[in-house]
Amino acid sequence: MSTVVSGIRSTGNLHLGNYFGAVKNFIEMQHTHQTFFFIADFHSLTTHPVPGDLHTNVKQVLAEYLACGIDPEKSTIFIQSDIPEIPELYLLLNMNAYLGELERTASFKGKARQQPENVNAGLLTYPVLMAADIIIHKAHFVPVGKDQEQNLEMSRTFARRFNRMYNVETFPIPRAYTFEGKDMVKIPGLDGSGKMGKSEGNAISLAESPASIRKKVMRAVTDTGPTEMHQIKPDVIRNLFTLMEVVSAPDVVSHFDTAYSNCSIRYGDLNKQLAEDIIHFTTPIRTRIEEISKDSVYLSKVAKNGAEKARESASKTLQEVREIIGFRKFY
Ligand code: TYM
């Protein structure tokens, strides 16, 4: 059976981009694949969170995962820092990861620009840790959004490099996963600029209140409106339609599409509809988040079981890797 690994940083609430970029695909795969889903709390250290926040965020993200429908009976759900085999594999992979290739990644360059006072080695080797996360379970598929395409390409490179270096076939070469061969998803933000993201401050989280969703969507960036029939939509407007395509019914989308085409569209109506459809989509998830996050006993049980199952798989791979590299016991 094919194996799937996916993860999310523990730096804040899950948002619509996370859901439609990764979690949705993952949920569907739970039924047909061996699935591992984890919270990347080591990765979140690149931004130096305070200890109290780190713990609270991990707990919140865990509750949110479960509320989305990731099922601990079907998937192994775990917290990255519970698995010491991951940092060990990361160390080993770092020996074959080169400064030039790491410096060239778009995410490193972006982060270095975003936090010039804190360009740490963890940021540089972020793709190596991500590769360790994936290949430690010998994953075949990784459901991620478009923004992770390059990081995933690096994982493929490191897996291939290890296999070639030791002339083994230890690691499958992991592939991005999208249903029906569709393109990897990129959910836009509400500010008209690029992707929805935690650090971009343009996100709608799954736990967000209806009032806050309405406020944000009604303020979404638009333009002055189409002036000619059948005009091509500029990015800011296409972004709103992309959001609508994931949360609204197809006839709603085509209604506004036609209205755009014949210049009768009113952005006020579009935003209002979009806000209500987002609320309709997030409300059941939000209710479950509220319930699950109160249940510390359940959350501990899920994390403990997940850690046990993930360690079993991770330690098997690591043992194999150690032997291949030449670490053999003297005693
Ligand atoms: P993170 O925490 O930024 O995001 C988690 C997942 O959500 C997807 N995503 C999006 N997809 C579409 N549109 C968006 N606007 C959007 N924003 C976020 C991301 O592509 C991702 O799939 N490096 C990863 C975490 C990670 C990981 C891994 C993922 C660490 N190790 C191993 C998979 C496998 C990250 O920062 O994702």
Side-chain angles (χ1 to χ4, degrees), residues 206-210 279 282-291:
L206 300 176
E208 200 146 337
S209 72
I279 292 166
T282 53
T283 295
I285 300 181
R286 189 181 67 252
T287 313
R288 284 199 298 275
I289 293 174
E290 282 160 13
E291 281 164 23

Side-chain angles (χ1 to χ4, degrees), residues 14-16 19 68 204-208 281-282 285-286 289:
L14 251 73
H15 54 69
L16 292 174
Y19 185 87
C68 286
I204 294 186
S205 81
L206 300 176
E208 200 146 337
F281 172 77
T282 53
I285 300 181
R286 189 181 67 252
I289 293 174

